[in-house]
Structure formats: structure tokens, C-alpha cells
Amino acid sequence: MPVDFERLGPVGVITLNRPEALNALSLEMLEKIDSVLDLVERDAAIRSLIITGAGEKAFSAGADIGAMREATALEARAYAQRGHQVFNRVEAFPRPIIAAVNGYALGGGCEFALACDIRLASERASFGQPEVNLGIMPGWGGTQRLARATSPGFAKELIFTGRMCPAAEAHVHGLANHVYPPDALMGEAIALAELIATKPPWAVSASKEVINLALEGDLRGHLARELDLFALAFTTKDQREGMAAFLEKRQATFEGR
Ligand code: DAK
């Protein structure tokens, strides 16, 4: 299977599994990721997700250049649209998604990681938008999401030059939250996903929604939305449990209600 899905208790792990092509994203893989998200959406017991790449070299080296070269205009359009749809879905997905970037995250691979909520990187990882080297520009959100995750100046430097940015540099610019030795990456990603999974899912999901809005234009409207969602939290059982547990000096158990 070019995409694997595994459950580790409350954590789901999606693995891009085409290491012979550095996990370059084929249309089939995008469709499979979409159907895994359907499955996860129906299963409230999965509270956080990790996306990583199979093999030692790559998270994903981007769009499938071989498939693009051969594609008709209509096929290229379907492929490009599917990428947009899947990355937008990942960004808006009502559960947190961590990218465990184990190697190259280039082009569409970097854009995929950018659509995730949190990026953890292996010391072996490198990020980049090399489209300029192929005579194109980032087309799956890289111009927008890279500038927002880092800074307009850094995004322009990477996109204009197409150069690769090593993990340590990605960390300095906010592109990677943390950098770990390769052997430690998955353990750290799972620990983070498990920690988030112990938190009230509604509060995590609502926070994700409004943090995403913070990056869009309308600050006043988004603050109003934040206020509404904050008030709605007080209709949940998890809010009562969380506050009661704090006052009773015990560990809270959140049920997602
Ligand atoms: N697609 C397909 N195959 C790929 C690939 C890719 N992106 N990247 C690597 N491979 C394949 C190689 O062809 C090679 O296959 P074989 O020759 O063994 O059959 C195998 O993976 C191993 O790669 P290398 O032999 O090149 O490995 P190296 O260690 O020497 O080099 C590398 C690693 C990452 C530096 C190199 O593979 C590389 O530069 N890869 C290309 C990276 C890249 O340019 N990525 C950006 C792709 S463009 C659009 C929206 C979005 C997009 C386009 C349009 N619209 C809205 C219209 C997205 C575009 C992109 O992502």
C-alpha cells in the first residue's frame, strides 16, 4: 500500500509508503490519505494523528514529477485539485495533526507538512520549495503557508532560490517546532500526540479552528468567533470535568462530550 494507517490507542499514524520514489505523492496516495481521514473522522476514539514517511530518506519529495510530466491537462488539473483538497482538509481537520518529518520535505512534501498543525523534524530532515528549479512555483499552498509559518522574507528566500533548508535552520525560522535525532523522532511524535490525546477534544479542536483563523485577515471577526466558541466550551461535560479535577487535585478524564 502506498499509504499505511496504524492505530496506537488514541493516536493514528499515517505513513507515506513509497520509499523507492522518496514518498512522492501520487494521485492514488492523495486519494488514500483522504479515505483514511474519512475513517478517522468517524472514529472519535482517535484523538490525534501523525503523518510520517517510510524509509530513512524522505518524508515526501513532493508531487510525482514522473506522473506530472506524462499527464494530460485534465489529468494534471484533477491531480492539482486533489492535492489542494487534501491539504485544505488536513489543515481544517477537527483533530490535531503532527508531521513527523523524517527526511526530505520538498515541494508538495513541504506543503503537506505545512498543512499539518505541528512539525517535528529529524536531524536528517530538510525542507524546501524547489519548484523554481522545475520552472514552476509552489502550487499546493506553499506561497501562503510557508510565509505564515515562518516570515515573508524567509519564504521568499526559499521559494526564489529553491534551496534546501536543513532541520536546524528550519527550527530557527519556526518551520520545525523541535528537532530530534532520527531514532528519537517517532517516539517524540507519539509522546506529543498522546499528550494532546489526553486533553479535551472539543477544546483542542475549537482552538485549532480559531488559531487557523488568526492567520487570516479579519481579526475582529475571528475574535468574536473565538468568544462564541469559548462560551460553547461551557456546554461540554469535559469542561466541568476539567475544572472539577483541577479543584479536586486529581487527573482529569476527558470523554469528548
Ligand atoms: N517525483 C517522482 N519521483 C521522485 C521524486 C518526485 N518528486 N523525487 C525523487 N523521485 C525518485 C527519483 O526519480 C528516483 O527514482 P529512480 O531513478 O530510483 O527510479 C528515486 O526517487 C530516488 O531519488 P534520487 O535518485 O534523485 O535520490 P537522491 O538522493 O540522489 O536525491 C533528491 C534526492 C530529493 C535531492 C532528489 O530526488 C530530488 O531533487 N527530487 C525532486 C524534488 C523536487 O523537485 N520536489 C518538488 C516536486 S514539484 C500544482 C500543485 C503542486 C505541484 C505542482 C502543481 N498545481 C496546482 C498545478 C507540486 C509540485 C512539486 O511538488
Side-chain angles (χ1 to χ4, degrees):
M1 275 296 220
V3 175
D4 292 335
F5 180 66
E6 185 190 3
R7 266 198 70 171
L8 305 170
V11 177
V13 181
I14 297 174
T15 304
L16 308 174
N17 188 13
R18 203 182 157 216
E20 68 285 0
L22 304 186
N23 303 318
L25 292 163
S26 62
L27 180 61
E28 184 192 2
M29 288 165 81
L30 292 170
E31 284 176 351
K32 179 72 182 151
I33 293 161
D34 206 27
S35 60
V36 169
L37 294 177
D38 286 342
L39 181 148
V40 172
E41 205 152 25
R42 286 194 298 269
D43 187 347
I46 301 172
R47 292 189 176 189
S48 50
L49 281 174
I50 296 171
I51 299 178
T52 193
E56 302 205 328
K57 280 181 80 172
F59 174 76
S60 169
D64 188 335
I65 299 172
M68 275 196 294
R69 198 185 64 171
E70 302 297 328
T72 65
L74 284 181
E75 284 166 349
R77 191 165 188 274
Y79 180 47
Q81 269 183 338
R82 193 56 138 174
H84 269 295
Q85 184 227 325
V86 169
F87 293 0
N88 288 344
R89 187 173 183 196
V90 163
E91 182 174 58
F93 200 68
R95 278 168 247 174
I97 305 185
I98 297 167
V101 181
N102 53 308
Y104 294 118
L106 301 176
C110 186
E111 289 167 311
F112 195 8
L114 282 164
C116 297
D117 300 305
I118 294 170
R119 284 161 294 284
L120 305 182
S122 139
E123 286 164 351
R124 263 206 294 260
S126 54
F127 297 79
Q129 297 288 162
E131 287 86 348
V132 73
N133 299 327
L134 297 168
I136 55 174
M137 61 175 282
W140 276 337
T143 60
Q144 304 306 299
R145 293 192 179 109
L146 184 58
R148 287 171 181 194
T150 62
S151 66
F154 186 66
K156 286 173 182 168
E157 183 189 328
L158 283 194
I159 292 170
F160 295 173
T161 63
R163 78 168 171 89
M164 284 191 219
C165 158
E169 188 188 1
H171 178 52
V172 168
H173 289 278
L175 185 47
N177 293 50
H178 302 280
V179 180
Y180 298 110
D183 291 348
L185 177 67
M186 270 317 278
E188 294 287 350
I190 291 166
L192 179 60
E194 284 177 343
L195 175 62
I196 295 171
T198 65
K199 307 299 176 187
W202 191 88
V204 171
S205 174
S207 303
K208 172 168 172 170
E209 181 189 323
V210 279
I211 293 168
N212 285 352
L213 287 180
L215 300 170
E216 292 175 13
D218 176 15
L219 181 62
R220 284 183 179 217
H222 299 157
L223 289 175
R225 177 76 179 136
E226 186 184 75
L227 188 66
D228 286 347
L229 287 172
F230 184 81
L232 257 184
F234 286 76
T235 65
T236 67
K237 203 175 161 207
D238 282 345
Q239 176 267 327
R240 290 190 291 284
E241 164 65 6
M243 294 190 182
F246 173 78
L247 294 171
E248 291 160 17
K249 300 191 187 307
R250 63 176 171 79
Q251 192 76 30
T253 306
F254 294 117
E255 295 172 4
R257 288 191 288 150

